[in-house]
Amino acid sequence: MSYVLLTGGAGYIGSHTALALLRAGEQVISFDNYSNSSPESLKRVEQLTGKSIIKIEGDVLDVEALAAVFAQYPVKAVVHFAGLKAVGESTQKPLWYYETNVGGTIKLCQVMAKFGVKNLVFSSSATVYGDAQNSPLPETTPTVAMNPYGQSKLMTEWVLQDLQHSDNSWNIAVLRYFNPVGADESGRIGEDPNGIPNNLMPFITQVAVGKRAELQIFGNDYPTVDGTGVRDYIHVTDLAAGHVAALQHLFTDPGFDSFNLGSGEGLSVLDIVTRFAAVNQVEVPYQFAARRPGDVARYFADPSKAKTLLNWQTEKTLDDIVRDSWNWQKNNPNGYN
Ligand code: NAD
Ligand code: UD1
């Protein structure tokens, strides 16, 4: 019996990936310090699957705690989600972001090397394409970081690439997510942000449920179809399936590679708001506000490399996304609390 170790497994994407891996017949260990999650998400994954997860509370900066996991369990691969992800916060606390995101990955890889486990899937972000203007964006788009969060992802990508070049027994898949949204269709697990959401979908769901008065749409004068920003929204269940595919790829086509995980379709803020209200029959009051600094007009993936090499593509529709996002929010108005 061997395990897939998920760092940050209790988080939003980690918990959905745990669900997908268990359903694909894998054994799962989660290693999480619960700084932005709770073990409740994993308990619900266990209820949904009837299978158990080994849940370890620990910090990726704690090498001894990490080593104890590898010493106790035969791990065949690691999916490294654990990290900090708030762009604004990263500009206030850059050292914490670099220490956790870059330093945490280095420590993880050191422990993995010590135990001879050299298969790794890493959570990167489309933010590494900076303010690229030429969507759809293939993986060959020049990378540039716009803030410490983005820089920490880019630096980590470089570290991993250098590591694999130094020792080709490492197999590493870097996954660049576009905009993860939605929730498992059961409505039992989903995104549970702390405080005021920064991202569009959790803000919409909190407005719809009455927690917030109205949505501010940042900019209606972009050179887009309706003037609002265009993004590539990917259902978290599709994203989770992308991780299952990337893990398989490590074993069938070893080495280092990066993949965009996105739908390839750009949708505007108004597309999302309008469809959310229509499908769910709820009001989403909004008003237009100034552009948010750092935002680009249009940003979406060219996902053809993942389709060809991972045999993966998104399956869920916009209607699935808005229905499942709402299903999670209305069944869990206070998240996991
Ligand atoms: P999340 O915050 O829900 O999950 C991250 C998990 O890591 C949490 O459970 C948190 O408690 C844990 N964690 C944080 N620091 C840790 C540490 N030092 N040691 C152990 N555990 C720690 O975030 P998510 O949305 O699931 O994102 C997962 C990964 O994907 C992150 O690396 C993030 O940067 C990346 N990513 C997310 C998005 C997005 O929009 N959600 C987009 C692109 C990339
Ligand atoms: C943001 C981050 C990006 C990160 C990504 C993860 C910034 C500048 N970028 O991307 O680094 O990788 O999240 O998912 O923070 N919008 C509104 N009103 C809101 C919130 C958002 O109109 O209250 C608009 C935005 O202007 C944008 C779209 O909705 O056009 C999506 O925004 P968001 O969900 O924050 O994602 P990104 O900005 O694409």
Side-chain angles (χ1 to χ4, degrees):
M1 195 191 330
S2 62
Y3 291 86
V4 179
L5 170 63
L6 310 186
T7 70
Y12 173 44
I13 304 168
S15 56
H16 287 83
T17 302
L19 179 67
L21 285 168
L22 289 174
R23 286 188 173 150
E26 299 287 357
Q27 311 268 353
V28 173
I29 303 172
S30 165
F31 181 90
D32 198 308
N33 67 0
Y34 305 124
S35 58
N36 198 36
S37 60
S38 85
E40 177 63 20
S41 62
L42 296 171
K43 288 187 193 140
R44 294 191 185 186
V45 171
E46 293 179 322
Q47 288 162 4
L48 287 168
T49 56
K51 295 179 177 179
S52 57
I53 295 171
I54 295 172
K55 297 179 277 301
I56 297 165
E57 181 168 358
D59 196 300
V60 287
L61 296 172
D62 181 347
V63 207
E64 280 169 17
L66 276 174
V69 178
F70 289 88
Q72 188 173 358
Y73 301 100
V75 173
K76 66 176 177 183
V78 178
V79 188
H80 182 37
F81 296 104
L84 304 170
K85 63 168 184 176
V87 173
E89 185 180 59
S90 79
T91 63
Q92 305 298 317
K93 300 177 179 173
L95 295 181
W96 188 36
Y97 270 67
Y98 289 123
E99 181 184 34
T100 305
N101 292 1
V102 186
T105 308
I106 292 172
K107 288 189 160 94
L108 171 67
C109 289
Q110 285 168 335
V111 173
M112 288 174 68
K114 189 171 162 209
F115 286 87
V117 179
K118 296 185 176 177
N119 299 309
L120 177 67
V121 174
F122 172 63
S123 298
S124 189
S125 168
T127 191
V128 300
Y129 301 128
D131 60 354
Q133 306 289 322
N134 48 334
S135 290
L137 304 169
E139 288 82 354
T140 48
T141 306
T143 52
V144 56
M146 310 292 287
N147 49 60
Y149 168 71
Q151 185 75 356
S152 75
K153 289 293 175 190
L154 198 45
M155 287 167 72
T156 305
E157 288 199 10
W158 294 336
V159 168
L160 295 176
Q161 187 155 20
D162 287 345
L163 173 63
Q164 201 279 336
H165 284 169
S166 74
D167 171 0
N168 66 11
S169 63
W170 277 90
N171 303 309
I172 301 176
V174 165
L175 304 182
R176 294 172 174 165
Y177 314 152
F178 279 70
N179 291 56
V181 287
D184 183 62
E185 64 181 4
S186 64
R188 295 286 295 151
I189 57 172
E191 187 172 11
D192 185 15
N194 281 329
I196 302 172
N198 297 309
N199 297 115
L200 179 64
M201 189 60 83
F203 209 105
I204 291 177
T205 62
Q206 292 195 6
V207 170
V209 85
K211 276 182 141 180
R212 309 202 180 271
E214 66 180 10
L215 171 73
Q216 304 230 311
I217 296 184
F218 301 139
N220 63 345
D221 57 353
Y222 284 108
T224 59
V225 55
D226 56 24
T228 66
V230 164
R231 295 290 183 278
D232 186 333
Y233 296 92
I234 173 171
H235 194 297
V236 67
T237 298
D238 282 334
L239 190 60
H243 291 75
V244 178
L247 277 167
Q248 272 166 11
H249 176 80
L250 293 183
F251 296 98
T252 54
D253 194 1
F256 178 94
D257 227 330
S258 351
F259 298 97
N260 286 338
L261 295 186
S263 70
E265 188 188 5
L267 294 169
S268 76
V269 177
L270 280 176
D271 287 333
I272 302 285
V273 173
T274 314
R275 206 64 210 139
F276 188 96
V279 168
N280 297 317
Q281 296 290 298
V282 287
E283 303 268 323
V284 183
Y286 64 83
Q287 68 172 2
F288 292 115
R291 291 182 180 191
R292 183 172 64 178
D295 276 1
V296 294
R298 291 165 78 249
Y299 214 71
F300 56 95
D302 172 350
S304 51
K305 183 175 173 186
K307 186 174 180 191
T308 309
L309 295 183
L310 303 182
N311 195 23
W312 169 92
Q313 63 186 340
T314 58
E315 307 284 346
K316 301 278 188 183
T317 64
L318 173 57
D319 284 12
D320 295 329
I321 285 174
V322 295
R323 187 198 59 233
D324 294 339
S325 298
W326 179 231
N327 194 29
W328 156 251
Q329 176 73 73
K330 75 172 189 277
N331 289 330
N332 306 270
N334 297 312
Y336 289 112
N337 292 322

